[in-house]
Every structure is written in structure tokens, then in C-alpha cells.
Amino acid sequence: MPTFAELVAARALPQYRRMTRTSDPALEELRSLIGARHVLTGTDMPPWSRDWAGHTEWQPRAVLQPADAQEVAAILRLANGCGLPVVPVSGNTNLVKATHANGTLMLSLARLNAIREIRPEARIAVVEAGVIVEALQHAAEAHDLLFPLSFGARGSAMVGGVLSTNAGGANVLRYGNTRDLCLGLEVVTPTGEVMNLMSALHKNNAGYDLRHLMIGAEGTLGIITAAVFKLFPRVRAHATAMVAVPSVGVALQLLNRLQDDTGGAVEAFEYMPRSFLDALLQRFPDIRPPFAERHAVNVLVELGARAPRDVTPGADGELPVVTQLEAVLAAGYEAGEVLDATVAQNAAQRAEIWARREASAQILRMRSPVVENDIAVATDRMEVLLERIETVSRAIDPGVENTGVAHLGDGNLHYVGWPSRDDPALCRAIQEAVEAEVIALGGSFSAEHGIGLSKRPAMAAHKDPVALATMRAIKAALDPNGILNPGKVLPDL
Amino acid sequence: MPTFAELVAARALPQYRRMTRTSDPALEELRSLIGARHVLTGTDMPPWSRDWAGHTEWQPRAVLQPADAQEVAAILRLANGCGLPVVPVSGNTNLVKATHANGTLMLSLARLNAIREIRPEARIAVVEAGVIVEALQHAAEAHDLLFPLSFGARGSAMVGGVLSTNAGGANVLRYGNTRDLCLGLEVVTPTGEVMNLMSALHKNNAGYDLRHLMIGAEGTLGIITAAVFKLFPRVRAHATAMVAVPSVGVALQLLNRLQDDTGGAVEAFEYMPRSFLDALLQRFPDIRPPFAERHAVNVLVELGARAPRDVTPGADGELPVVTQLEAVLAAGYEAGEVLDATVAQNAAQRAEIWARREASAQILRMRSPVVENDIAVATDRMEVLLERIETVSRAIDPGVENTGVAHLGDGNLHYVGWPSRDDPALCRAIQEAVEAEVIALGGSFSAEHGIGLSKRPAMAAHKDPVALATMRAIKAALDPNGILNPGKVLPDL
């Protein structure tokens, strides 16, 4: 819900008020298609008039709230016929201005919010695009199953959005990205036809894989209206530890040994450098430091036990999954590969360990100016990437402070740099230097947040030009009038 | 190597001999691009002049064997400029006439056969398209790692082909299809440009996922020249059993319980109906039947243990992974869900269990006429599918004998029907009736073999028309002159 101040701010926008006063034939037509009360204008629009972080505002022409895929299709047929741009939106939690919609129609999927069915024997869920991620998690839990996708915005992010951005999170290591969880899709094409790819199949080699083309396309090739997801056996218990190791390279060895020794039970492997923990303790003095000594390389390790034998307490009263984690860490300690470790003995200690990691959203944005990069390299390149970031950023600004957190098991670094002075050119130079090192190491300038408007310069600079041309050809072929989420993902020619 | 009889047969083709005698300016140009000895004509071509099963023969204009992606690109630039059709081929083991190339150029990837690198810490392999699947398996084993993709033709199938067809096999249940194993690709576009998607990243949301579009496109959208694959910790021991259960529905319950109790360690779950075992024992009287009694529903179950604790013999001398399997089966026996079970106690017994399953290629093709369908449904629809197949096929031909084997954990049935008389119209009617039931249950008419030429009628009849139109638009956009593997995958308009 918007605050009162936000509502006032929205009302004060003059261009918008003019619009609602004049007759708008396109809006009249849209009202007849989906009902007048589902065509929002004026003060009803503010929740869709800004991005999640509140950094950007815009003024949609109207916000449409269709009831189902057929109404979505009717809207797109009209929009395509008239050349009206349409920006789809579900939970609106993205971080790259992917729903920026100044003067255009916005199409909200919020009313397509049915969990159509959960089929526990087949371990699948059939859901509509407006279902909130957390609601799907709960629905799976009711059948003693797991929908593993999870991240900070799970309470407001919706299925359509997480598919359109191929959302990741902290347990991609074990379960994959959103695209790996999706078996089937229903998509409305830019020309307003409903495409039925709603299969619940683990094998289906019948032509081009349009499902994967639509996933991650950020609503520029079609509007996802429903999906079939895989569900998993639930995790019965966790074993969670904070571990200090001599280097990021040794951390990767530890990860591989844990995967080997547990048969692939690692659910999270999250890197926190000393600089991050220092900032954390400075900002929240009541947080306990993980170790008596400060270490350069700290890792949150979590195993997830699904088999009953791993969660039946042994003679010592301890869960076997915890004993297993302790054994690997003890061996690492003997070998000098683990400098220190604390293993959670109960839920409160586990929560404390996770609280440090989850404070990253606040910590990494607590200072300004800030340079942020959501980047990825192969796991065996992370150590050299961190070294090079240190070198190139200090060459530009000797006073820069570098920090961040990483989903180390995926090679995904959320880099943060705090430059020594507030100078946009300096910030840009650091950002670009970091990106250049990522590219030189075969990495990605957008690991899990996508492109939207924000990352188009990086697309233009670093994406393989043949791949870019191929993407443009596909966009032109599927959306010849360029009505769907125009200006997003693809940089201008 | 072709047999003498095959060489004679190829030499006897009159049209071919005329071609080699006349001068062919396009071939001269191709010789200058990649060297005359890599442009094969005449009697050098037979290995590429027929499909794997020997059912179909054709006459290529020439077979080109470029050395690298740059030469592939040069060939495609020339072919695109002149409108010359090009059919890519690697191991040529497909089952759907996907390399049929009458009068066209064939482009063999066999010389692009380097395993460029194995990076054990990052658990990736970087390979070229002509690498044989088994060679990659061995290269991974040398690093104590697993490349899991495996199927009957692994000794001749090549990486480029398995990517182009998104090959499956018996362990998709645990490791996924080929697309799930692939992190990056190098692709030459139909217009002869090299597209570099060779990342080794677990997260990379930088624009449309062209990798998944190329995988499974059967060489109609681009030619895959190299790839990055995931590798896995090796399996240290297997526990393998033959199990008889009262019904396919109970088999699915058993699978789910095994997954829950072992934390997802099921590597294979293969269904063999009584009709299959009867045919097997009739054809090979020296094979021991799995059980003293004959049961309607038999399943090969295999667990793969990766953790050391599961392969360290217990006090009874048995591997814990075997004890675990026996415990689930014993509980099932008590509950009436398992009718009989034999657990392999050594490698020879495991081999005997697998030999029954692997004889399916011979068993299912030993009689003629035969109706074959490679189909998939959601796992919880398999039982009803099998019932409906029985009903509809017998309505058409009361004397038909239905059998098959299934990757039950994936919902993938290799259906075989032996009609009572040799009548092509009857065979077609049974095939189409089976397909119609699959479609009615939300299934796929091509689970893992792809489309090629063979399955185009099913594509025309059953694929969502909006999806088909979208595929056609993509094909036209990326291959405007229609030179790449023309006529495959997409049915005629």
C-alpha cells in the first residue's frame, strides 16, 4: 500500500490529471474489453508508478487488470492493432527498471492469481502468473512438498515476474534457477494469441523450446499468464555453519568436498568478506560477530537433509546431517583448510547465522555513493575476479572500499564499491572497470537481476554482437509492431 | 565402416556418378575454402548416405568436413549466398530422419573433436561438437567426475548431435536432459557468423536464452560447434533391483517413497510390462526370468550412491546404499505394495538386470509390422495412458499385441504395438490413436527422439498452432534463405 505522502505525490503530477479529464478512445475500448473498474487511472495507479526501491517514478497512461489469459489476449490484439505500447507487471519487485512505463499502458497480472492444482504424485504445481511466490511455497508445504525458489521479495514477487526475469536466489546451487523449475507455460503473444505450452513433462522434444525463450525475456516477447512448476521432497532438517577459510580458492575446495561427501546436499554456500562483516557490525552493533578473530574469507554453509536417516538423532542426540557437516569441517581444520567454524546447534543459532547474510540488502545500500554490480563467473574464476576488482578499482580511486556478498556456489557476486567521493563519472568508471574484468574472465554482467533499462549499456558494450543481432531478429519477428515492454533488454542500434 | 555390399550399393546409384563426373562450381569453391580432401563425394560418402537403422538412404551432393567453427562459418556464408541447402551431421545416430540429405550438402562436425579442457574445480568440460559422448564420459572419469548423459548409441553419438536433439536416456530422472547439462554453446548462424555463448555460468540473465533455443532445434537454426557441460561427482556404488508391483500407480508411489527416503538418489526407474519380458524370454531363451512367477508390472530400480558413508560396508558386510534399498522394498512388501523383488548382490547380478532392459532395442524391433511411439505424459498419467492405449488399439485391431518399455520416472514410454496383420493403414491408425490419447492427457508425441522428417505429421496435427506459427517466424527470421536442414522439424504450411 502506498503511503499518504506517496499518494499526494502521485496526485500532484499534472500531466496525469489532464489525461483522466480528456476522453481517451483507446481507454474506452479497453474498458469495454475488461470492465471499466479494471482500467485504473489517476490516484489508483501509484503502486505501479515507481520501482520497488523507489528510485524511479513514471506515469502510466493506465493500468489494466485483466481477469484471465483471454482478456490479456484481447488487450494485446487491440494494442497491437493500434501500436500501443504495453508494459507487463506482476509483483513489481525487479531491480533493473524492467517495468518502467512512462505514458504507456501497464498490464497487471495480479488478478490471474489461482493455484489451479497441486498434483503431489507427479510433484507439480499448475499456477497463474499473479500467484505470489510465498503463496506457492505454502501451497506446496501443505502437501509436504517444497517449491524451492526463494529470495528476499518472495512475499510480493509473483510467478509471472520471476519467470520473466528467471529469478535466482540463494539455493540455485541445489535446485537451479526459475527456468530449471518450470515445465510448462501459457503465454500470450504480442499479436494477442494464447500459446499453450502447459505441459508437465520431463521429456518433450517437439520443436523449438519456446518455453526457455520466453523465460527471462522480461515480457518483451510475450506475456506469461500461467506455468507448471516442479515440486521437490521437503527438506526435513538443516545443518548450518559459519566457516572461516584461508582463501576463496580453498572455499571452493571445501564446497566440492562437501558435495562429494554428502551426495550433493549443499543448499547454500554464501561468501561474506571481512569488509562486509565489518560494515555489518558497524551498522548493527548488537549483532554478534561470527568469530572471536576477524577473518578475510567467511562462508555460510548449509546442508539440507531430505532422508529420514539424516534427521533421526544418533546416540549423542545429534542429527546425522549435523554430524556429517562437523566431520567435514573437522577434517578441514586438521588440514589447515578451515581456520574456524561454528555450527548451529538449534534454530535460534541458525537464524542468527542467516540474519548476518540477509542484512546485506541494508548494508550494501547504507552508504552513498555506491557502485553495485550483479555479476557471475565460473566458480574457479571467483578468486582471481576478486583480486582483479581490488586492483582495477583502486587504480581508479585509491580510496574506494570494496565489499559485497556472493552466492559462491553459483559464482554469483553482488559487488559493492564505496568510492571515496561523490562523482558520477568516478562511479561509472569503477562500474565499467569491474564489468570489463568480469567479461575478460568469461563472466556475465547480469547474473540474476536481468537487463531492463538499467543494464542496456552493458548489453551494448559486452554482449556478443551476433547474439545481439539474433535477439533483435527474434524480437522483430515475434513483435513486429514493437508493442511489448518497448525499450527493455535490447539496446538501441 | 560401410560393408562391401553397402559400398557397391552406393556406387550403383546412377545419379550420383553423373554428378562427380561433371564440374560443380559450388564444390570447387568449397574445396578452396576447406581443402579438396575435406569435400567428400562418390564412394567416400556412404557412411552419411543412410540413417542409423538402415531404413532410409539418400544421396548427398557432397559431404563437407570443416576443421573448425571458422570453416563452418565460411561454408554457411557461401551456402547462404547461393541458397544451397546444408544438412549438419555428427554421429548420425538419430531415429527420425533428421539428417536426410538428398541432393544437398552435408556438413560433418567429425573433425571438430577436441576436448578443449576439463576444469575439475568448476566441474565443467569444454568440448567441440565432434567429440563422441563416450569419449567425454571417459575424460570426466579421468578427473574422478561424471558426465551423466548416456544411452545406447554413446559410442558413436557426438556432442553436436545430442545437443541438437536434446538427447535423453535412462538417467534423466536424476541429471536432466542434455539441455540441463549444458552451460554454454558456440553456434554458427545460418548466415555464417560465429555466435559465442560459451559461458560456464550457473547464473546469466543477459538477454534471451539463445542457448536453449539452439538446443533441440535439430540444426535448423544454427550449427552447434562447441559447448560447455556440467560435470558431477561420480557415483561410487549402485544398488539395483528388479521389483514386481501390483500396478503402475503403485510403482509411482514406490518411486516417490524412494526419492524421499534416499534424498533423491534414484538414478533409473524403468518399467517393463509382462508382455515385454515374455517377448524377451521367447527371443532369448537363455535369459533368466526375473521372478519365479510372472507379474504384470516390473520395474528396474537403481540408486546411485555418491557419499562415502553409503559405500562403506556395514557390520553385515553390505553397502549401506543396498541396505537402504532393501529396507524400502521390505516395507513395501509388508504393505502389499511390492509383490516380489530381487536385489543385485554383485556386479554380475546388476549386469543381468540391466541386460534385460537393454535388450529392448532388439526385442521391440524383432517383429514386423511394428508401430512405435516415443511418447511422454506427466508421471501421474502413465497408468491411465497405458489403459487407454490398450482400449483404443484393440478397438482398431482386436489382435494387436501391445508392449514397450518406459523411463517411468520421466513419464516417457517407448510404446510398441504388433498389429495382427501387415497393413500400413492399420499401423497408421493405431499410431494415430495412441498419439491422440497422449495428446488428450497433455502429453508429447515426441519425448526424446525429436521430429526430423518422421514426426512432422504429428507436429502438424498436434502442436499448438500458435507455437507452430511462432517457430516458423523464428526460423524465417534466423534463416531467411531456408538453407539449414530444410524440411526438418517444421511441417509444411
Side-chain angles (χ1 to χ4, degrees):
Chain A
M1 291 291 292
T3 64
F4 181 70
E6 286 168 333
L7 289 171
V8 170
R11 253 192 242 112
L13 294 169
Q15 192 195 347
Y16 171 70
R17 295 185 66 89
R18 267 202 307 280
M19 271 192 179
T20 52
R21 284 198 204 117
T22 59
S23 155
D24 184 329
L27 291 194
E28 284 312 310
E29 182 106 15
L30 288 163
R31 287 187 183 102
S32 76
L33 284 179
I34 64 171
R37 69 198 179 94
H38 301 303
V39 178
L40 308 186
T41 55
T43 53
D44 293 332
M45 294 201 299
W48 294 275
S49 306
R50 61 177 63 82
D51 71 346
W52 179 73
H55 292 152
T56 321
E57 298 203 341
W58 60 80
Q59 260 190 290
R61 181 168 172 179
V63 176
L64 315 174
Q65 296 193 304
D68 55 29
Q70 294 307 323
E71 288 193 0
V72 174
I75 292 168
L76 292 197
R77 282 196 297 275
L78 175 72
N80 186 50
C82 310
L84 295 177
V86 176
V87 175
V89 61
S90 52
N92 201 27
T93 60
N94 87 89
L95 300 169
V96 291
K97 302 185 190 170
T99 57
H100 193 276
N102 216 31
T104 74
L105 300 174
M106 290 189 88
L107 190 155
S108 161
L109 281 307
R111 289 177 67 211
L112 285 74
N113 61 357
I115 294 178
R116 290 186 191 161
E117 58 177 342
I118 305 267
R119 283 158 54 186
E121 284 76 29
R123 302 206 158 160
I124 57 165
V126 184
V127 301
E128 297 181 351
V131 169
I132 288 172
V133 169
E134 201 168 54
L136 178 51
Q137 291 173 343
H138 291 324
E141 281 161 22
H143 292 271
D144 213 20
L145 292 170
L146 171 74
F147 178 64
L149 186 70
S150 200
F151 48 87
R154 62 186 172 275
S156 44
M158 294 173 188
V159 159
V162 301
L163 285 162
S164 293
T165 56
N166 184 31
N171 61 19
V172 166
L173 178 62
R174 188 165 201 183
Y175 302 99
N177 296 286
T178 303
R179 71 168 70 252
D180 302 303
L181 306 176
C182 177
L183 293 173
L185 283 185
E186 180 185 76
V187 181
V188 179
T189 67
T191 53
E193 294 177 291
V194 180
M195 179 157 63
N196 180 1
L197 308 170
M198 286 289 278
S199 63
L201 306 175
H202 294 277
K203 289 182 177 174
N204 184 17
N205 284 346
Y208 307 154
D209 199 315
L210 301 175
R211 168 185 51 137
H212 280 301
L213 184 63
M214 294 295 166
I215 296 173
E218 301 183 22
T220 63
L221 298 179
I223 294 182
I224 293 169
T225 50
V228 183
F229 284 110
K230 296 181 199 169
L231 301 176
F232 293 80
R234 74 183 172 89
V235 172
R236 296 165 195 259
H238 294 98
T240 311
M242 276 297 291
V243 185
V245 293
S247 69
V248 170
V250 170
L252 179 60
Q253 288 172 22
L254 179 68
L255 169 63
N256 285 335
R257 191 159 317 122
L258 275 165
Q259 294 287 43
D260 289 352
D261 283 5
T262 64
V266 181
E267 297 251 326
F269 199 81
E270 300 284 308
Y271 164 68
M272 286 173 268
R274 176 170 166 170
S275 56
F276 171 76
L277 290 175
D278 285 350
L280 178 75
L281 297 169
Q282 189 187 334
R283 172 71 183 77
F284 301 110
D286 53 323
I287 287 186
R288 282 205 302 176
F291 305 111
E293 282 182 69
R294 295 154 77 211
H295 296 284
V297 179
N298 309 274
V299 180
L300 185 165
V301 179
E302 184 158 275
L303 304 181
R306 298 197 292 218
R309 62 172 175 152
D310 288 326
V311 298
T312 309
D316 56 359
E318 199 168 74
L319 299 185
V321 64
V322 175
T323 308
Q324 218 178 349
L325 176 58
E326 287 173 343
V328 174
L329 296 178
Y333 192 79
E334 291 303 314
E337 292 173 354
V338 169
L339 302 177
D340 204 347
T342 56
V343 178
Q345 300 300 317
N346 51 48
Q349 290 183 359
R350 178 179 177 233
E352 186 183 26
I353 288 174
W354 272 105
R356 293 193 196 99
R357 171 63 183 83
E358 288 177 346
S360 66
Q362 288 124 289
I363 295 306
L364 301 180
R365 292 181 186 101
M366 75 180 182
R367 283 169 62 173
S368 182
V370 61
V371 178
E372 287 188 80
N373 266 350
D374 165 37
I375 50 193
V377 289
T379 51
D380 61 351
R381 301 283 192 256
M382 183 61 84
E383 185 163 32
V384 64
L385 174 66
L386 291 165
E387 288 165 9
R388 290 194 191 176
I389 286 176
E390 204 61 27
T391 305
V392 298
S393 63
R394 288 189 187 281
I396 295 168
D397 176 5
V400 69
E401 289 175 60
N402 292 315
T403 186
V405 290
H407 307 299
L408 195 55
D410 309 315
N412 176 197
L413 172 68
H414 294 293
Y415 162 76
V416 159
W418 290 311
S420 63
R421 61 186 192 278
D422 194 354
D423 171 356
L426 181 75
C427 290
R428 202 160 49 243
I430 294 172
Q431 173 128 22
E432 289 173 1
V434 169
E435 270 173 10
E437 293 304 322
V438 169
I439 298 303
L441 290 168
S444 173
F445 52 86
S446 189
E448 59 180 5
H449 294 167
I451 305 299
L453 291 180
S454 306
K455 291 288 173 184
R456 293 198 313 163
M459 279 287 271
H462 302 303
K463 194 76 192 176
D464 178 77
V466 181
L468 264 185
T470 303
M471 291 181 199
R472 286 200 176 95
I474 292 170
K475 171 71 175 175
L478 303 194
D479 183 11
N481 297 324
I483 64 155
L484 262 187
N485 213 0
K488 311 296 169 21
V489 181
L490 297 172
D492 296 330
L493 270 174
Chain B
M1 289 293 294
T3 63
F4 181 70
E6 285 167 332
L7 288 171
V8 170
R11 252 193 241 111
L13 295 168
Q15 194 194 348
Y16 170 69
R17 296 186 64 88
R18 271 203 305 279
M19 269 190 181
T20 52
R21 282 201 205 112
T22 60
S23 155
D24 184 329
L27 293 194
E28 285 311 311
E29 182 106 17
L30 288 163
R31 287 186 184 105
S32 75
L33 284 178
I34 64 170
R37 69 198 179 96
H38 300 303
V39 178
L40 308 185
T41 56
T43 53
D44 293 331
M45 296 202 297
W48 294 274
S49 307
R50 62 177 62 82
D51 71 344
W52 179 73
H55 292 150
T56 321
E57 297 203 343
W58 57 82
Q59 258 190 294
R61 181 168 172 180
V63 176
L64 315 174
Q65 295 193 303
D68 55 30
Q70 293 309 324
E71 289 193 359
V72 173
I75 292 168
L76 292 197
R77 283 195 298 275
L78 175 72
N80 186 52
C82 312
L84 296 178
V86 175
V87 176
V89 61
S90 51
N92 200 27
T93 61
N94 88 88
L95 300 168
V96 290
K97 302 186 189 170
T99 56
H100 193 276
N102 217 27
T104 74
L105 299 174
M106 290 189 88
L107 190 157
S108 160
L109 281 307
R111 289 178 67 212
L112 285 74
N113 63 356
I115 295 178
R116 290 187 192 162
E117 57 176 342
I118 305 266
R119 282 158 53 186
E121 285 76 29
R123 300 200 160 165
I124 56 166
V126 184
V127 300
E128 297 182 351
V131 170
I132 288 173
V133 168
E134 202 167 54
L136 177 52
Q137 291 173 342
H138 291 324
E141 281 163 22
H143 292 272
D144 213 21
L145 292 169
L146 173 74
F147 178 65
L149 184 70
S150 200
F151 48 87
R154 62 185 172 276
S156 45
M158 294 174 190
V159 158
V162 300
L163 285 162
S164 293
T165 57
N166 185 32
N171 60 18
V172 167
L173 179 60
R174 189 165 202 184
Y175 301 99
N177 296 286
T178 303
R179 72 168 69 255
D180 302 302
L181 306 176
C182 176
L183 293 173
L185 283 185
E186 180 185 77
V187 181
V188 179
T189 68
T191 53
E193 293 176 290
V194 179
M195 180 157 63
N196 180 0
L197 308 170
M198 286 289 278
S199 63
L201 306 174
H202 295 277
K203 290 182 176 172
N204 184 17
N205 284 346
Y208 308 155
D209 199 316
L210 301 176
R211 171 186 48 139
H212 281 302
L213 185 62
M214 294 295 164
I215 296 173
E218 302 184 21
T220 64
L221 298 179
I223 295 182
I224 294 169
T225 48
V228 183
F229 284 109
K230 296 182 201 168
L231 301 176
F232 293 81
R234 72 186 173 88
V235 171
R236 296 166 195 259
H238 294 98
T240 311
M242 275 298 290
V243 186
V245 294
S247 70
V248 170
V250 171
L252 179 58
Q253 288 171 24
L254 179 68
L255 170 62
N256 286 334
R257 191 161 314 121
L258 275 166
Q259 293 287 42
D260 289 353
D261 283 4
T262 63
V266 182
E267 297 251 327
F269 200 81
E270 300 284 309
Y271 165 68
M272 285 173 268
R274 174 170 166 169
S275 55
F276 171 77
L277 290 175
D278 285 352
L280 178 74
L281 296 170
Q282 191 187 334
R283 170 72 182 78
F284 300 108
D286 53 325
I287 286 187
R288 283 204 301 175
F291 307 110
E293 281 182 69
R294 293 155 77 208
H295 297 283
V297 180
N298 310 275
V299 180
L300 185 166
V301 179
E302 183 157 278
L303 305 182
R306 298 196 293 215
R309 63 175 176 153
D310 288 325
V311 297
T312 308
D316 55 0
E318 199 168 73
L319 298 185
V321 63
V322 175
T323 308
Q324 218 179 347
L325 176 58
E326 287 173 343
V328 174
L329 296 177
Y333 192 81
E334 292 303 314
E337 293 174 355
V338 168
L339 303 178
D340 204 346
T342 55
V343 178
Q345 300 301 316
N346 51 47
Q349 290 183 1
R350 178 179 176 233
E352 184 182 27
I353 288 174
W354 272 106
R356 293 190 196 99
R357 171 62 183 84
E358 287 178 346
S360 66
Q362 288 124 288
I363 295 305
L364 302 180
R365 291 180 187 102
M366 74 180 183
R367 281 170 62 173
S368 180
V370 61
V371 178
E372 285 187 81
N373 266 349
D374 164 39
I375 50 193
V377 290
T379 51
D380 61 350
R381 301 283 192 257
M382 183 61 83
E383 184 161 33
V384 65
L385 174 66
L386 290 166
E387 289 163 11
R388 290 195 192 173
I389 285 176
E390 203 61 29
T391 306
V392 298
S393 62
R394 286 186 189 283
I396 295 167
D397 176 7
V400 69
E401 290 175 61
N402 292 314
T403 186
V405 290
H407 307 299
L408 195 56
D410 310 316
N412 176 196
L413 172 67
H414 294 293
Y415 163 75
V416 159
W418 289 311
S420 63
R421 60 185 194 280
D422 194 355
D423 172 354
L426 181 77
C427 290
R428 203 162 46 243
I430 294 173
Q431 172 130 21
E432 286 173 2
V434 169
E435 269 174 11
E437 293 306 321
V438 170
I439 298 301
L441 290 167
S444 173
F445 53 86
S446 188
E448 57 179 7
H449 294 167
I451 304 301
L453 290 179
S454 308
K455 291 287 173 184
R456 294 198 313 163
M459 279 286 272
H462 303 303
K463 193 76 193 175
D464 179 77
V466 181
L468 263 185
T470 302
M471 290 180 201
R472 286 200 176 94
I474 291 170
K475 170 70 175 176
L478 304 194
D479 184 12
N481 298 324
I483 63 155
L484 262 187
N485 214 358
K488 311 297 170 19
V489 181
L490 297 171
D492 295 330
L493 269 174

